[in-house]
Amino acid sequence: MAEERTPENPETPETLAESEEQAIKQRKNGLYQGVSDELAENMKSGWADTELHDLEPIAQADRTAARRAALSARFPGERLVIPAGNLKTRSNDTEYAFRASTEYAYLTGDQTQDGVLVLEPVEDGHEATIYLLPRSDRENGEFWLDGQGELWVGRRHSLTEAEQLLGIPAKDVRELAESLKEATGPVRNVRGHDAGIEAALTDKVTAERDEELRVYLSEARLVKDAFEVAELQKACDATARGFEDVVKVLDKAEATSERYIEGTFFLRARVEGNDVGYGTIAAAGPHACTLHWVRNDGPVRSGDLLLLDAGVETTELYTADVTRTLPISGTFTDVQRKIYDAVYEAQEAGIAAVKPGAAYRDFHDAAQRVLAEKLVEWGLVEGPVDRVLELGLQRRWTLHGTGHMLGMDVHDCAAARTEAYVDTTLEPGMCLTVEPGLYFQADDLTVPEEYRGIGVRIEDDILVTADGNRNLSEALPRRSDEVEAWMAGLKG
């Protein structure tokens, strides 16, 4: 990694005068501690004009415009501020990869750091403006001396280019904070993404009003449009190929660790999408009993199960969320198959309950009933089943809810009101996961020893349709015998 020239060093009296004269500060221990006038002048000229012309709008420009119109209608007469967010430091002067806030990307289709969407109230609605970083300045040397200059991190779109792509008037975001300080009238802001914007609005907003905006934007995503459904299908298709990649290299994972599985899936996510939608869970053996095992540093052993919970996030930031529990050897043992088939039966019941007009909770209740029946049948808990469900006794081994909404966030629409989410009725266009599981901890003395250390989860992404549902991740087999045949085929 090349040495960057401009960390955020605290100013001292000795450097203050210098920094006033030179906008771009030098790294404390950089090998070049200054720029000659001759070099600075040389770097200003001799560059071709790279402005892009006649750009076509992004694929979802009409969709984002409709979303902004709905937002405008919901909050008439109020200034609405939706930031993309800023870079976050990983360590010293290196940052995490930037991922725009879901609310901002949903309303604009843009994914650039520091961007802010502002809806200014006018007589008949709102005027939208997107505030962005312009091309880096060549006159003051920013483009080659600043840590976020284009020669360091890549070219940005000009404001004119951004307007053509996004269909929104664009302005320089560096002027926005001061402008917002002078703003009058009611203002709402999506909090938690841009500290500078929040500071500028500190005396103009309230937590309650800002939360209403966040809740609205969460609930607006409950029903997906055709563009979003296509993106979710794309994410699921890429995810299926990532699972195939993993099966093909299980022998290499056995020679190394769960990290080989994580890395293999990540390659598919980066080649076909933006990233993974969440930290990959590559849990082999008893690690499968830890619901969010993301350390992925354990051994992969033939004879154990691998619980792989992973999803590709598309370049438009829609993620899949799929889990398969696979026999590392390619064949389930009798006990593994018994537990796996019980979870499969529960998932089948849950998926069948996903349909328009059904209560959101129905798929969870259906899957949990099957699992409770199995636990009673196996003598692990005393029936009747209704008593087990009423007291939640099955949860010792089922642990989590059976699913959640899915979209731009893996747990999408999380800020929605309870009455609009878990207490609602399913509608066509909603997309949710169905993911029952059974987990027998390695130290659970209440179950037979042969069960201990076995964890099974099966998860698919289910779209509610007008006449029922569609399994977006159906490319991956689920039935135990089909899983074995699929794995055998991939291993040759």
Side-chain angles (χ1 to χ4, degrees):
M1 183 178 188
E3 184 188 46
E4 202 175 298
R5 311 245 179 154
T6 56
E8 295 183 2
N9 293 323
E11 290 184 336
T12 65
E14 292 76 16
T15 62
L16 184 57
E18 180 184 344
S19 66
E20 289 175 348
E21 294 178 3
Q22 184 174 310
I24 310 301
K25 292 183 290 184
Q26 304 301 306
R27 180 187 293 275
K28 178 180 179 182
N29 288 309
L31 295 177
Y32 292 107
Q33 286 300 299
V35 176
S36 69
D37 292 343
E38 290 79 4
L39 177 58
E41 193 61 32
N42 177 276
M43 291 296 287
K44 291 180 183 180
S45 60
W47 305 101
D49 179 7
T50 60
E51 182 75 7
L52 304 175
H53 302 281
D54 302 320
L55 295 173
E56 293 295 324
I58 60 172
Q60 59 172 321
D62 57 338
R63 307 282 183 180
T64 56
R67 296 165 193 166
R68 294 192 299 274
L71 174 61
S72 172
R74 172 62 180 81
F75 297 103
E78 303 185 56
R79 181 178 282 101
L80 308 174
V81 183
I82 302 94
N86 315 125
L87 288 174
K88 291 181 172 60
T89 299
R90 180 180 184 273
S91 177
N92 188 27
D93 58 355
T94 61
E95 292 88 16
Y96 289 104
F98 179 73
R99 201 278 197 184
S101 75
T102 291
E103 296 88 352
Y104 174 86
Y106 178 74
L107 292 168
T108 67
D110 182 56
Q111 298 180 35
T112 55
Q113 68 200 53
D114 302 325
V116 183
L117 173 68
V118 178
L119 271 61
E120 297 278 354
V122 294
E123 186 174 341
D124 58 348
H126 287 83
E127 287 183 352
T129 303
I130 192 164
Y131 290 83
L132 302 166
L133 286 172
R135 297 284 307 276
S136 28
D137 194 329
R138 301 211 172 202
E139 188 63 27
N140 71 359
E142 174 193 5
F143 79 109
W144 72 287
L145 290 171
D146 185 81
Q148 293 300 312
E150 292 184 1
L151 293 195
W152 287 99
V153 299
R155 184 188 188 278
R156 295 192 286 267
H157 283 299
S158 71
L159 298 182
T160 301
E161 291 169 354
E163 289 182 352
Q164 295 178 55
L165 290 166
L166 305 175
I168 313 171
K171 293 183 179 180
D172 190 337
V173 71
R174 294 172 295 189
E175 302 168 0
L176 179 59
E178 285 301 315
S179 173
L180 290 176
K181 289 179 182 178
E182 306 302 321
T184 59
V187 183
R188 296 178 190 262
N189 175 49
V190 178
R191 298 189 180 196
H193 301 301
D194 193 317
I197 295 300
E198 290 182 27
L201 295 173
T202 185
D203 60 342
K204 306 176 191 305
V205 296
T206 67
E208 293 77 13
R209 290 162 56 79
D210 287 354
E211 181 63 11
E212 287 178 355
L213 173 59
R214 190 171 79 102
V215 168
Y216 168 81
L217 290 172
S218 201
E219 293 180 7
R221 303 197 307 275
L222 283 166
V223 176
K224 272 60 180 178
D225 62 33
F227 178 89
E228 295 178 289
V229 170
E231 284 296 310
L232 287 167
Q233 184 65 71
K234 188 187 301 182
C236 287
D237 292 344
T239 297
R241 288 186 283 274
F243 275 68
E244 292 174 353
D245 296 339
V246 167
V247 171
K248 292 175 182 177
V249 300
L250 281 177
D251 58 332
K252 294 183 173 63
E254 288 187 60
T256 52
S257 75
E258 296 162 337
R259 295 255 169 113
Y260 203 97
I261 294 166
E262 177 187 347
T264 298
F265 186 85
F266 180 69
L267 176 60
R268 177 65 63 175
R270 287 294 281 165
V271 168
E272 294 203 23
N274 175 62
D275 205 330
V276 289
Y278 53 96
T280 295
I281 299 166
H287 288 162
C289 298
T290 301
L291 300 184
H292 286 171
W293 176 261
V294 293
R295 299 179 199 173
N296 299 336
D297 59 359
V300 178
R301 299 188 178 99
S302 182
D304 284 345
L305 296 176
L306 167 67
L307 189 157
L308 179 58
D309 185 337
V312 171
E313 178 186 74
T314 70
T315 55
E316 301 297 335
L317 306 186
Y318 288 83
T319 186
D321 181 8
V322 178
T323 306
R324 290 293 182 268
T325 304
L326 310 173
I328 294 167
S329 69
T331 305
F332 291 100
T333 67
D334 290 344
V335 174
Q336 291 169 350
R337 190 185 306 275
K338 172 183 175 180
I339 296 170
Y340 183 95
D341 288 349
V343 175
Y344 171 76
E345 186 178 331
Q347 195 201 27
E348 283 283 273
I351 292 174
V354 176
K355 53 190 173 184
Y360 174 85
R361 294 177 180 270
D362 285 356
F363 77 95
H364 169 72
D365 293 342
Q368 290 294 301
R369 175 167 289 276
V370 171
L371 295 178
E373 289 171 350
K374 296 296 182 182
L375 293 168
V376 171
E377 177 187 325
W378 298 341
L380 302 186
V381 63
E382 183 180 349
V385 169
D386 286 339
R387 167 185 170 272
V388 172
L389 292 169
E390 181 182 356
L391 299 176
L393 302 180
Q394 83 285 0
R395 293 182 61 186
R396 179 182 179 104
W397 303 284
T398 67
L399 293 173
H400 55 80
T402 310
H404 52 80
M405 292 292 184
L406 183 69
M408 295 185 80
D409 289 327
V410 65
H411 298 137
D412 206 29
C413 314
R417 295 166 298 163
T418 299
E419 58 266 31
Y421 193 148
V422 295
D423 289 342
T424 195
T425 299
L426 294 179
E427 301 176 37
M430 289 182 171
C431 187
L432 52 93
T433 67
V434 179
E435 51 174 313
L438 282 174
Y439 312 91
F440 298 106
Q441 305 299 326
D443 58 351
D444 188 348
L445 302 181
T446 70
V447 302
E449 185 174 359
E450 60 184 359
Y451 288 19
R452 296 173 197 166
I454 294 178
V456 174
R457 179 164 66 252
I458 312 171
E459 177 181 20
D460 285 88
D461 301 342
I462 309 299
L463 175 71
V464 184
T465 62
D467 57 356
N469 68 64
R470 174 158 62 97
N471 186 346
L472 301 180
S473 47
E474 65 181 356
L476 287 172
R478 294 183 294 123
R479 210 174 65 199
S480 57
D481 60 333
E482 292 176 343
V483 167
E484 290 173 330
W486 170 72
M487 293 182 69
L490 289 171
K491 290 182 175 184

